[in-house]
């Protein structure tokens, strides 16, 4: 009898332990209970997400992870970064390995619907481009007929590339690579004539080269690549938190709230929009299961959208990306935060 | 059971505790319990999977296989464009898997037999060299070999552009151009081509079909010639010279074809970014093929050595006593007997090689894992379906190979009558 009881207990405990594998519905509660945000990031793309020699991550996408952690947990450092390749990222999110995917991923119809993801917004409007060595003497993507091209497998760029060459009646030889670092290595070794990925990724990759000046990014942008963070489909509250954290960062730039003046503005700003954003008057946080100061903490973590952009990938950094489409709507760009009220 | 018990003390009535304490029942009890637990575990895993997929809003649906794939594949044995379906992409990948596996199995067998025999050589240097080969390749993970060979091919060889201009590199022997992407080798083209056999979108050149037909015919004819020579030898004690007939069988038809159709080599030429004309053999294929062959060859060498050592020394001594040379002794006496010991473990090496070929993903060789299990799964988000399908396909390949090899094994194994 004792054996039976023991086996029964073992079976029951196995079942209970097994339930832990399941991706539960309430991500916010899980993150709070864990005391840590699991953020899926690029394994290494300078400017967007890359670890330094001490294993400290930094970059454009990393700053978003920090902002969410600050909003939810009150501490921007309570993030565990989980590097995911182009192939593993969506599986990683769907299986509950990460709570949030901030890994320059393109928002597409099938990913949003069939892959059961929810893109919560666009944090970088991008397009696919080509990089070639200057010595190749190529000045347009139209001259790449017959070229060998390095391409990250499992990305939208793979499909755009096939479509672009087909539409222009050109042929190419793809070299499939799994990560940006592998692509960098193959490209520099000359195993491919051109490297193609999002233009921002090309700029970031080139910035990490020993001689960035020896390589040019061709003028053609062959696709729309709206990059945005994504969460699992089905947890609307968690999606709301991530979405409005992003809007808080964008709105902060619009209203001139920076990491430097945020404390001061929280006390003295007369702008009702800023007051609501920073929780001085209304308690918007309560509506998404957070406290009053959530947005204030998110902005304080690494600054507003403009500050983050300038510090990680902007024109003053080695990556040197102009704001372009990613300027505020008031500046002729597409960055437009929905109203906080 | 109690009724059939022979005379003697009547069997005690059944009590529940006997399930544990009576050795007649105990083993049965344990089996039943273990079986139930196993079933519980399996049903729990299945239930958990279905439940979690449902919770994610995912269903099991294979219709994605008939959607447009949209991506390109570098090496295709059957025609494929990005407009084809995921199913065809999977077929292309499957053929690439079979292709590199077949190449690998053939080379690994040759390497393994040679290394295994030479490791037993009386020549100290050769025997030690083979030992070094076996121990080095057997004891370093296959993935590392694949990556090392690929890196060497990429880093050491020149880019295609270096074959152009004033200080241009010469083609090796004027025919072969190793580059950091592929090795460009010449192809055989016909001046008066008889066209190709067209099956759907697949075109098989008649010349290739003829070549293979002639080769098979030559093998069959060679057997007939040898059988006749054997008969004459048995009858008269004198074996007629047959080597020139055998040689002619294999040389004359291709030579005749070459003259008749005007066959010649098309040397690869640099056009634009890459070599055109000739055949470009991808470095990823070469790296994978070499690594698989060398790695599995080391294991096969050990199997061959063990097989040879399993044959009693008396056999060798008897063969020597009959005046057979060491070469003949090995080919006619030792190896045929050793095969019985060699074949069964050899089957598992072949199966290992086929499954190991899925490491292709490390060098971007688009095999089944790269197409169906890689890009398709990624673009469609059908991980579960893709993986299940891939498991079924690898299982089918392995079972087929092992079935065929078992038939061969039954033919060579010791017939006991």
């Amino acid at each position: 009898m004792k054996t039976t009881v023991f086996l029964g207990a073992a079976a029951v405990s196995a079942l209970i332990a097994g339930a832990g594998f399941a991706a539960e519905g309430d991500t916010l509660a899980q993150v709070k209970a864990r005391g840590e945000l699991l953020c899926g990031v690029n394994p290494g793309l300078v400017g967007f997400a890359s670890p330094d020699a001490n294993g400290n991550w930094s970059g454009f996408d990393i700053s978003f992870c920090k902002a969410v952690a600050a909003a939810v947990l009150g501490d921007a450092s309570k993030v565990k970064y989980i590097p995911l390749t182009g192939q593993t990222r969506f599986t990683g999110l769907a299986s509950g390995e990460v709570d949030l995917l901030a890994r320059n991923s393109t928002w597409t119809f099938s990913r949003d619907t069939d892959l059961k993801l929810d893109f919560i917004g666009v944090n970088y409007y991008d397009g696919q481009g080509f990089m070639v060595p200057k010595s190749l003497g190529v000045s347009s993507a139209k001259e790449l007929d017959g070229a060998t091209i390095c391409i990250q497998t499992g990305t939208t760029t793979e499909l755009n590339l096939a479509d672009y060459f087909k539409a222009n009646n050109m042929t190419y030889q793809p070299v499939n690579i799994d990560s940006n670092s592998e692509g960098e290595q193959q490209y520099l070794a000359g195993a491919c004539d051109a490297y193609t990925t999002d233009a921002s990724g090309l700029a970031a990759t080139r910035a990490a080269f020993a001689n960035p000046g020896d390589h040019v990014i061709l003028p053609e942008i062959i696709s729309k690549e709206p990059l945005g963070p994504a969460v699992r489909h089905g947890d609307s509250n968690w999606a709301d938190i991530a979405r409005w954290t992003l809007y808080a960062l964008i709105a902060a730039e619009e209203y001139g709230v920076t990491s430097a003046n945020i404390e001061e503005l929280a006390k003295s700003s007369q702008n009702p929009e800023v007051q609501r954003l920073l929780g001085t008057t209304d308690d918007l946080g309560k509506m998404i299961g957070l406290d009053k100061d959530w947005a204030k903490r998110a902005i304080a973590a690494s600054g507003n959208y403009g500050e983050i952009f300038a510090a990680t990938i902007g024109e003053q950094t080695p990556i040197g990306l102009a704001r372009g489409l990613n300027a505020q709507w008031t500046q002729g760009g597409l960055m437009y935060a929905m109203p906080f009220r | 059971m109690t009724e059939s018990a022979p005379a003697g003390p009547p069997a005690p009535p059944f009590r529940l505790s006997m399930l544990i304490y009576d050795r007649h029942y105990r083993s049965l009890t344990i089996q039943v319990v273990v079986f139930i637990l196993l079933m519980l575990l399996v049903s729990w895993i299945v239930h958990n999977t279905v439940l979690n997929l449902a919770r994610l809003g995912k269903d099991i649906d294979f219709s994605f296989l008939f959607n447009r794939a949209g991506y390109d594949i570098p090496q295709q044995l059957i025609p494929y464009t990005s407009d084809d379906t995921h199913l065809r992409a999977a077929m292309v990948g499957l053929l690439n898997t079979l292709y590199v596996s077949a190449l690998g199995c053939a080379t690994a067998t040759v390497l393994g037999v040679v290394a295994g025999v030479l490791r037993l050589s009386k020549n100290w240097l050769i025997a030690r060299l083979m030992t070094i080969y076996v121990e080095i390749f057997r004891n370093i993970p296959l993935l590392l070999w694949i990556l090392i060979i690929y890196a060497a091919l990429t880093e050491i060889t020149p880019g295609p552009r270096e074959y152009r201009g004033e200080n241009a590199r010469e083609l090796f022997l004027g025919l072969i151009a190793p580059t950091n992407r592929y090795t460009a080798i010449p192809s055989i083209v016909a001046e008066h081509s008889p066209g190709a056999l067209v099956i759907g979108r697949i075109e098989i050149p008649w010349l290739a079909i003829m070549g293979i037909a002639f080769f098979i015919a030559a093998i069959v004819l060679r057997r007939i010639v040898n059988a006749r020579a054997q008969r004459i030898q048995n009858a008269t004690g004198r074996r007629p010279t047959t080597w020139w007939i055998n040689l002619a069988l294999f040389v004359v038809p291709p030579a005749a074809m070459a003259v008749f159709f005007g066959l010649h080599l098309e040397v690869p030429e640099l056009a634009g970014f890459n070599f055109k004309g000739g055949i470009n053999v991808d470095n990823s294929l070469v790296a994978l093929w070499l690594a698989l062959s060398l790695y599995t060859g080391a294991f096969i060498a050990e199997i061959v050595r063990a097989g040879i050592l399993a044959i009693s020394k008396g056999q060798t001594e008897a063969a020597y006593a009959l005046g057979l040379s060491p070469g003949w002794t090995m080919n006619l006496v030792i190896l045929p007997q050793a095969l019985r010991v060699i074949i069964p473990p050899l089957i598992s090496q072949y199966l290992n090689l086929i499954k190991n070929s899925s490491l292709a993903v490390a060098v971007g060789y688009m095999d089944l894992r790269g197409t169906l299990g890689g890009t398709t799964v990624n673009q469609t988000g059908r991980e579960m379906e893709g993986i299940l399908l891939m498991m079924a396909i690898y299982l089918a390949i392995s079972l087929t190979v092992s079935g065929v090899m078992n038939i061969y094994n039954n033919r060579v194994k010791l017939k006991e009558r």
Side-chain angles (χ1 to χ4, degrees), chain B residues 28-194:
Chain B
L28 200 67
T29 318
I30 292 173
Q31 287 185 50
V32 168
V33 168
V34 169
F35 182 74
I36 290 174
L37 282 178
L38 192 69
M39 285 298 109
L40 272 177
L41 184 71
V42 169
S43 67
W44 169 71
I45 288 174
V46 171
H47 174 74
N48 191 292
T49 310
V50 172
L51 194 75
N52 277 312
L53 280 177
R55 199 174 288 176
L56 286 171
K58 290 195 162 192
D59 47 349
I60 300 266
D61 180 9
F62 285 94
S63 60
F64 70 95
L65 283 173
F66 303 100
N67 295 345
R68 180 177 182 269
Y71 61 93
D72 285 303
I73 302 176
Q75 179 190 307
Q76 316 158 354
L77 297 181
I78 54 173
Y80 166 88
T81 69
S82 57
D83 285 334
D84 280 310
T85 59
H86 283 295
L87 185 64
R88 196 171 177 96
M91 287 295 301
V92 173
L94 173 61
L95 286 173
N96 283 346
T97 291
L98 294 176
Y99 184 58
V100 77
S101 302
L103 284 177
C105 283
T107 326
T109 310
V110 173
L111 264 177
V113 171
V114 169
V117 171
L118 288 186
R119 204 178 164 185
L120 293 169
S121 162
K122 289 203 177 66
N123 184 321
W124 186 88
L125 183 66
I126 289 180
R128 289 301 168 284
L129 279 179
M130 290 305 137
T131 308
I132 292 172
Y133 158 65
V134 167
E135 294 306 339
I136 284 187
F137 276 89
R138 213 164 55 135
N139 293 310
I140 294 178
L142 176 57
L143 182 60
L144 293 185
W145 283 117
I146 296 177
L147 291 174
I148 287 168
I149 296 177
Y150 187 58
L153 286 173
T154 315
E155 302 287 341
I156 294 172
T157 51
R161 273 186 287 161
E162 292 182 37
Y163 288 91
R164 178 185 289 146
E166 283 173 18
N167 305 322
R169 279 168 176 270
E170 294 284 318
L171 265 62
F172 183 67
L173 298 176
L175 295 173
I176 299 167
T179 74
N180 54 9
R181 301 162 188 179
Y182 46 77
T183 305
I185 57 170
S187 58
I188 302 172
V189 290
E191 231 156 276
H192 328 285
S193 173

Side-chain angles (χ1 to χ4, degrees), chain A residues 30-217:
Chain A
Q30 276 180 7
V31 172
K32 277 186 168 164
R34 199 190 299 125
E36 195 174 46
L37 175 75
L38 303 177
C39 207
V41 296
N42 198 306
L45 183 61
V46 177
F48 284 88
S50 61
D52 65 9
N54 302 320
N56 297 319
W57 288 80
S58 65
F60 187 70
D61 284 335
I62 300 299
S63 300
F64 182 69
C65 295
K66 285 183 176 168
V68 174
V72 174
L73 298 169
D75 185 347
S77 65
K78 287 193 172 155
V79 190
K80 188 174 179 193
Y81 300 102
I82 299 179
L84 296 172
T85 67
Q87 290 218 37
T88 54
R89 53 185 162 174
F90 301 126
T91 319
L93 180 62
S95 65
E97 201 184 327
V98 297
D99 304 312
L100 173 71
L101 185 72
R103 192 209 170 278
N104 43 3
S105 302
T106 307
W107 186 351
T108 69
F109 180 88
S110 60
R111 284 178 180 174
D112 206 350
T113 56
D114 201 30
L115 290 198
K116 304 292 178 198
L117 309 179
D118 271 349
F119 283 87
I120 53 102
V122 176
N123 64 352
Y124 191 93
Y125 287 94
D126 208 344
Q128 182 178 353
F130 296 92
M131 175 165 62
V132 294
K134 261 195 183 138
S135 58
L136 200 62
V138 168
S139 58
S140 158
K142 295 265 165 65
E143 295 167 27
L144 286 175
D145 191 10
T148 304
I149 297 177
C150 279
I151 174 91
Q152 280 192 50
T153 189
T155 60
T156 48
T157 53
E158 198 173 18
L159 306 180
N160 297 331
L161 181 70
D163 289 350
Y164 179 77
F165 273 75
K166 192 168 159 349
N168 287 291
N169 226 351
M170 303 193 295
T171 59
Y172 70 103
Q173 193 66 16
V175 172
N176 291 293
I177 50 156
D178 202 31
S179 68
N180 196 57
S181 58
E182 197 191 331
E184 214 175 294
Q185 184 203 335
Q186 293 287 327
Y187 172 76
L188 286 178
C192 39
D193 297 306
Y195 182 38
T196 182
T197 186
D198 300 336
S200 64
L202 290 179
T205 307
R206 186 173 63 166
F209 286 174
N211 299 310
D214 293 349
H215 303 269
V216 286
I217 294 171

Side-chain angles (χ1 to χ4, degrees), chain B residues 272-334:
Chain B
F273 296 98
N274 286 307
F275 278 94
K276 296 263 166 59
I279 301 166
N280 294 344
V281 184
D282 266 348
N283 277 351
S284 55
L285 169 66
V286 176
L288 188 65
W289 170 34
L290 277 183
L292 284 173
S293 306
L294 289 168
Y295 181 79
T296 313
F299 285 92
I300 293 179
E302 284 300 88
I303 292 170
V304 169
R305 188 170 71 110
I308 292 171
L309 289 179
I311 307 303
S312 105
K313 201 167 160 48
Q315 299 274 338
T316 317
E317 287 167 353
Y320 285 170
L322 287 172
L324 293 183
S325 71
W328 281 37
T329 307
M330 185 55 77
N331 285 333
L332 296 176
V333 179
I334 308 296

Side-chain angles (χ1 to χ4, degrees), chain A residues 202-242:
Chain A
L202 290 179
T205 307
R206 186 173 63 166
F209 286 174
N211 299 310
D214 293 349
H215 303 269
V216 286
I217 294 171
L218 299 179
E220 281 87 355
I221 295 293
I222 66 168
S223 69
K224 288 191 289 189
E225 307 284 342
L227 309 182
V231 297
R232 267 184 302 280
H233 188 84
D235 187 352
S236 302
N237 187 50
W238 180 247
D240 285 342
I241 292 172

Side-chain angles (χ1 to χ4, degrees), chain B residues 155-362:
Chain B
E155 302 287 341
I156 294 172
T157 51
R161 273 186 287 161
E162 292 182 37
Y163 288 91
R164 178 185 289 146
E166 283 173 18
N167 305 322
R169 279 168 176 270
E170 294 284 318
L171 265 62
F172 183 67
L173 298 176
L175 295 173
I176 299 167
T179 74
N180 54 9
R181 301 162 188 179
Y182 46 77
T183 305
I185 57 170
S187 58
I188 302 172
V189 290
E191 231 156 276
H192 328 285
S193 173
L197 174 66
V198 181
I199 309 167
R201 281 166 57 196
I202 303 167
E203 291 183 9
I204 310 168
W206 279 113
L207 282 175
I209 298 171
M210 282 165 69
I212 292 167
F214 279 133
F215 185 72
I216 293 170
I219 290 175
V220 173
L221 285 173
R222 179 176 167 269
R223 290 191 109 173
I224 295 172
V225 168
N226 283 354
R228 180 172 161 274
Q230 191 70 42
R231 270 204 313 280
I232 294 174
Q233 186 180 16
N234 289 346
T236 66
R238 201 165 289 203
R239 192 178 177 89
T241 334
T242 56
W243 66 265
W244 56 271
I245 305 179
N246 286 337
L247 189 66
L249 282 176
F250 287 93
V251 173
V252 171
M257 268 169 66
V259 173
F260 188 75
F261 293 110
L263 294 187
H264 57 90
L265 288 181
E266 187 182 35
V267 180
E269 257 180 83
L270 200 54
F273 296 98
N274 286 307
F275 278 94
K276 296 263 166 59
I279 301 166
N280 294 344
V281 184
D282 266 348
N283 277 351
S284 55
L285 169 66
V286 176
L288 188 65
W289 170 34
L290 277 183
L292 284 173
S293 306
L294 289 168
Y295 181 79
T296 313
F299 285 92
I300 293 179
E302 284 300 88
I303 292 170
V304 169
R305 188 170 71 110
I308 292 171
L309 289 179
I311 307 303
S312 105
K313 201 167 160 48
Q315 299 274 338
T316 317
E317 287 167 353
Y320 285 170
L322 287 172
L324 293 183
S325 71
W328 281 37
T329 307
M330 185 55 77
N331 285 333
L332 296 176
V333 179
I334 308 296
L335 276 184
Q337 299 187 71
L339 269 186
R340 291 172 192 148
V341 186
I342 292 172
I343 299 288
L346 191 63
I347 300 176
S348 38
Q349 286 308 323
Y350 285 167
L351 297 182
N352 272 345
L353 189 145
I354 294 169
K355 287 175 290 176
N356 285 342
S357 74
S358 60
L359 288 172
V361 74

